[in-house]
Amino acid sequence: MSSQEDIRRMSMTEANQPKKDWRFILIAIVAGLGGLLFGYDTGVVAGVLLFVNQVFHFDASMKGLFVAIALAAAAVGAAFAGALADAFGRRAVLIVAAVLFSAGAILSSVAGTIPILFLGRVMVGAAIGVSSMITPLYLSEITAAHWRGAIVTINQFYITVGIFVSYLVDYMLSGTPDGWRWMLGLGSVPGLILLGGMMVLPESPRWLAGRNFIEKATAGLRFLRGRQDVSEELGDLHRDIVEDSRRAAPWSLLLTRKVRKPLIIGVGLAVFQQITGINVVIYFAPTIFRDAGLSSASGSILATVGIGAVNVIMTGVAMRLLDTAGRRKMLLLGLYGMLISLVFIGTGFLIQLHGPLTYIIVGMVAIFVAFFAIGLGPIFWLMISEIFPLAIRGRAMSIATVANWVSNMVISGIFLDLLLIIGRGPTFMFYAAMTVLAILFTLWIVPETKGKTLEQIEDSL
Ligand code: BGC
């Protein structure tokens, strides 16, 4: 599997290419859609949940299963995505993902029975898992060097935009009969745009060259760069591929000391990103707000729209700060803020705040999301693209991504049951305790990677 660093070197010669080009706009749109669909299709369940159980009479476990089933499919999708993209090409896999996104959205929106509803969500989930791995990979392979560094964080930004849009759609449709069907079905629109975009964009020249389809690789590069002479880049590409295969490492490298530490960091951050409770808020915010005392469904969804906006804005702030303030510092700051707000939320539920005081809980949930968005949110995805040795980077990133989806599935799947069994206050105190562990973990092992080259990071680990 290729890496961003390889590609960065590969494209050093592209600085002279035209900056404002419709190709770049197309690439940026496709870049956006991958993250947008990830965010939309995970966030949309927040509103859907309030209505779907009236039709299908879900209890707490079934609601949890409805959320978790898409996440389980995402974990499976992410696990196989790398191998599929190596075998059939990045573009082919993304086209299949776009079809799954659209077909799954439509199927779940017209579902008359629970199995069909769940089948639709499984299709969407698999597509989310695949695109969460392959969109950044494909983009890093086709984009010029000066764009590449930003892609990882741009992806996270679009995820939050997708969540925000899904909340807005939830809000606008919450008064419409059968509005939940539209909430699910509208996911097909960006899915179809992604499909259209992928039909126009070429296969990754890097993948083509690696398979010895040199003519196609040349044509793809000419299209992407908008010029005829791409021989220099093609030469670099070839050198990189030879270098890559020389360095290609066996799976057993994952067990060596050199890789153990980054793997602990990557998988640890993946798990902590989820078990500190972010998606309990992202997927169940209206349910939480209603439990806290906001009386109407649309009022709860409106408060959720506010949460979505905070998430987008603070992710934007993080993008500006990460390269100056440093990852480790921002991660710790974010975790301290999450801890304090979780303790407030837990206490608020324990002492059963009511009346206008309910808004303290809403405010604290917003603060929790804000601190996640400047720390653990973007930094997990950023770090896993930085800390692994080149030879094993693709596979190690897959492992961390799968760990993230599996933890997400477990935490979201059991949330509603946990509320019933131990109650709201203790549930949020549990996430606070996990945040304490996340802080200790960060202090113990997470390095500062700001301003270092990938080789320096590799050496320091
Ligand atoms: C996480 C998602 C989460 C999102 C919220 C991402 O970094 O991986 O699970 O829903 O942030 O903004």
Side-chain angles (χ1 to χ4, degrees):
M1 190 158 299
S2 56
S3 71
Q4 293 185 349
E5 184 59 7
D6 272 355
I7 310 298
R8 190 173 60 72
R9 275 188 285 113
M10 164 190 113
S11 308
M12 283 304 187
T13 51
E14 298 156 15
N16 58 347
Q17 68 186 349
K19 286 239 161 55
K20 273 197 192 136
D21 189 323
W22 62 269
R23 292 171 185 84
F24 285 89
I25 296 170
L26 187 64
I27 292 171
I29 290 175
V30 173
L33 287 173
L36 202 84
L37 278 162
F38 175 158
Y40 184 90
D41 280 309
T42 51
V44 78
V45 293
V48 172
L49 265 184
L50 289 186
F51 305 101
V52 80
N53 64 326
Q54 293 163 8
V55 180
F56 295 106
H57 310 292
F58 285 171
D59 60 10
S61 304
M62 278 303 271
K63 278 198 215 170
L65 190 63
F66 173 68
V67 173
I69 200 155
L71 303 172
V76 176
F80 289 102
L84 288 174
D86 281 348
F88 301 108
R90 286 77 169 107
R91 183 170 168 265
V93 171
L94 279 176
I95 287 177
V96 173
V99 171
L100 276 177
F101 266 129
S102 313
I106 292 170
L107 192 65
S108 56
S109 73
V110 299
T113 61
I114 295 176
I116 299 293
L117 179 71
F118 279 27
L119 178 64
R121 289 298 292 169
V122 164
M123 288 162 70
V124 167
I128 297 172
V130 167
S131 89
S132 72
M133 269 286 302
I134 305 303
T135 307
L137 172 70
Y138 174 71
L139 290 166
S140 73
E141 289 185 350
I142 65 167
T143 317
H146 45 274
W147 274 50
R148 203 152 292 125
I151 279 176
V152 185
T153 24
I154 285 184
N155 199 45
Q156 169 71 13
F157 184 71
Y158 274 111
I159 293 172
T160 62
V161 172
I163 294 172
F164 177 65
V165 171
S166 76
Y167 288 170
L168 268 186
V169 169
D170 283 357
Y171 177 64
M172 289 188 300
L173 293 172
S174 63
T176 318
D178 273 351
W180 65 272
R181 293 191 182 274
W182 286 98
M183 296 173 192
L184 290 173
L186 280 173
S188 59
V189 176
L192 289 172
I193 302 176
L194 178 64
L195 183 62
M198 289 313 299
M199 292 292 183
V200 179
L201 285 173
E203 179 53 89
S204 147
R206 192 193 161 90
W207 182 81
L208 287 168
R211 297 248 140 181
N212 247 335
F213 296 128
I214 302 302
E215 259 172 46
K216 284 189 181 161
T218 313
L221 270 181
R222 285 186 178 144
F223 174 88
L224 288 166
R225 307 295 176 242
R227 54 183 145 78
Q228 279 302 304
D229 182 15
V230 290
S231 51
E232 195 176 344
E233 191 176 347
L234 208 62
D236 289 346
L237 194 62
H238 191 67
R239 250 194 317 283
D240 268 345
I241 289 165
V242 172
E243 173 90 341
D244 232 18
S245 59
R246 198 172 55 77
R247 290 214 242 173
W251 279 90
S252 56
L253 190 71
L254 283 169
L255 301 173
T256 58
R257 278 194 60 165
K258 190 174 149 75
V259 183
R260 203 177 304 146
K261 188 170 170 191
L263 207 56
I264 292 174
I265 299 172
V267 172
L269 287 178
V271 174
F272 281 122
Q273 196 201 41
Q274 297 298 328
I275 63 171
T276 46
I278 183 62
N279 284 316
V280 159
V281 172
I282 298 292
Y283 307 156
F284 299 101
T287 313
I288 297 172
F289 293 150
R290 219 176 36 180
D291 283 357
L294 294 191
S295 46
S296 68
S298 63
S300 304
I301 299 183
L302 185 60
T304 307
V305 173
I307 300 291
V310 168
N311 196 14
V312 174
I313 293 166
M314 294 310 284
T315 303
V317 171
M319 283 167 70
R320 295 193 72 89
L321 287 182
L322 276 172
D323 280 321
T324 45
R327 284 82 154 121
R328 193 180 141 96
K329 249 191 229 144
M330 293 211 21
L331 184 56
L332 282 170
L333 175 71
L335 285 168
Y336 291 134
M338 284 165 67
L339 175 61
I340 293 169
S341 42
L342 281 170
V343 170
F344 268 99
I345 299 169
T347 315
F349 276 124
L350 280 176
I351 59 175
Q352 298 185 347
L353 291 178
H354 53 272
L357 290 180
T358 308
Y359 286 98
I360 296 184
I361 295 188
V362 178
M364 280 298 153
V365 170
I367 292 176
F368 169 74
V369 170
F371 278 105
F372 173 86
I374 60 157
L376 210 42
I379 292 173
F380 159 67
W381 295 106
L382 185 58
M383 281 234 163
I384 62 166
S385 72
E386 293 181 329
I387 56 176
F388 296 115
L390 181 61
I392 203 95
R393 190 168 296 148
R395 279 169 280 178
M397 279 178 73
S398 275
I399 292 174
T401 307
V402 172
N404 189 265
W405 284 113
V406 171
S407 321
N408 187 348
M409 174 191 75
V410 173
I411 287 293
S412 313
I414 63 170
F415 171 65
L416 294 175
D417 289 313
L418 215 56
L419 288 187
L420 287 179
I421 298 165
I422 64 170
R424 295 165 204 147
T427 300
F428 282 93
M429 287 305 189
F430 167 76
Y431 302 133
M434 293 302 114
T435 310
V436 173
L437 291 184
I439 291 170
L440 295 176
F441 177 82
T442 305
L443 290 172
W444 168 52
I445 201 169
V446 177
E448 181 53 79
T449 52
K450 176 190 89 175
K452 290 187 182 154
T453 66
L454 296 183
E455 283 71 26
Q456 284 168 339
I457 296 172
E458 194 171 327
D459 288 346
S460 75
L461 283 167

